[in-house]
Amino acid sequence: MLKQHLQQKLLQKLSPQQIQFIKLLQVPTVALDTRVKEELEENPALEDPSLMTQDEPRSEYDDLNDSPEDYEKSSDEGTDEFNVDDYLQDDSANDYSTNYNNGDDDEEKKETPIAIESTFFESLQEQLDLIPLSDQDFVIGKQIIGSLDDDGYLRRPLSSMIDDLAFSQNVMVEEEDVLEMLKLIQSFDPPGIGARDLKECLLIQLKRKDVNNPIIIKAINVVENYLDEFTRKHYDKLERSLGLDSEELKEIVNEILRLNPKPGDANQVTTKQMQIIPDFHISNNDGILVLTLNSKNAPELKVSRSYQEMFEHYDKASSKDKKLKEAVQFVKQKLDSAKWFIDAIKQRQQTLLKTMNAIMHYQYEYFLTADERKLRPMILKDIADKIDMDISTVSRVANSKYVQTEFGTFLLKSFFSEAIQTENGEEVSNKEVKKILEDCIGNEDKRKPLADEKLTEILKDRGYNIARRTVAKYREQMNIPVARLRKEL
């Protein structure tokens, strides 16, 4: 039986302008220039004065004193009515970006030369090209190289590669043919390349050393037959099984530890690594912290004068046919889009500065001294309440923006931490506890590393009443293995 009933729902719908601002807020400085260029290419009504010639008229968008609240009002109002005066600016106004100039443009504009390097796969292909091979073997070799992971391993089954060669290359081969070419590629540099698992990778490297050396012979035996015991650091069991003394085992272990478990990683081109450009700079001026926004975050943008004049011309036309109305609507849409984008860039700058300024003042002592013990417990809500913004906005800033200080460049997220209460009732940051754990583990006797229970006792002796599972969680967050795996001979 069908029934009718009324249901009331409260939905929050974001405007296109708000969505554009949110997306821009997440963009790091290193990618902002690309995003601006994309917008310039898509919208002819948006211009960058820095790319214009001296003879072209200049017009700046200079509503810099508007607050974010004003921006939100202007985004919602006047969507149906259109006034060309909104797009006409005073030519004598300062450039949009001047209020955010940090005075370090010369340093930022210096070009860094990038060395031209071969990629890992190109290097292997070059080695393959130097070997006289039949057409079939050459195709198999290319297929193997193309199937390697970034770390240099061949994890794809040989049967799958045989199928690929048959379907894509129309080359029919047997498994023995592929194995023969795989052995050839495993002789390439870097040593260990083309291995199908860790054991094979280490054995390839060891067998390229002096196989008459007794230590190498025993190291090969350990990797071939006792790799599980070795990785778990069951050294006592290795000594008993192989009849070794501790000094001899230490030599074998050191020999194996010199090998590269990921031979492909060391050959990746450096240009593929993520480049970090700090979004903020904090300088210490005689005990007073000064915050500046990276000037790359303030591109010079303006609404096109030619599009403004075009709209005026169309708008004043005495008679408007269908085509003219469509032209007016198109120009209006592009002008609106340009204005919204400039507004979003402006609001992005205001939000970045507002958020970072609140973080800087909250952690003032830390930014003065770089002492992690001065780092106050701070969660996203603390900053959101201070700047009267949503927690999600602070999260977007903290997760993607970096600040450069006199003692390093840091992701803003690293300054947030939970509070831990000491025995005397004082609240401290969990980063302080992590620092103590790091120091304790760094100074421990590696022959008898400190277990989590012992670390818990040390923290309790210092006034931090923390459970063992919490100590284990902090240790894992710092990528420190358990005591057994930290043991050394």
Side-chain angles (χ1 to χ4, degrees), residues 48 145 165 179 191 207 211 249 254 303 342 371 391 439 489:
D48 182 351
I145 290 172
L165 286 165
L179 271 173
K207 288 176 181 178
V211 291
L249 180 60
N254 288 338
V303 178
I342 294 173
D371 185 352
I391 290 176
D439 291 342
L489 291 171

Side-chain angles (χ1 to χ4, degrees), residues 30 110-118 268-275:
V30 69
K110 288 179 181 176
E111 294 184 1
T112 305
I114 298 174
I116 298 174
E117 300 180 30
S118 296
Q268 296 298 307
V269 289
T270 55
T271 52
K272 287 188 178 178
Q273 296 176 1
M274 180 184 172
Q275 182 185 9

Side-chain angles (χ1 to χ4, degrees), residues 17-30:
Q17 295 78 43
Q18 289 170 317
I19 293 171
Q20 187 175 53
F21 162 67
I22 290 169
K23 288 183 177 179
L24 278 174
L25 188 62
Q26 294 177 143
V27 175
T29 299
V30 69

Side-chain angles (χ1 to χ4, degrees), residues 264-283:
D265 280 1
N267 293 271
Q268 296 298 307
V269 289
T270 55
T271 52
K272 287 188 178 178
Q273 296 176 1
M274 180 184 172
Q275 182 185 9
I276 294 175
I277 296 178
D279 303 83
F280 310 95
H281 300 266
I282 293 180
S283 56

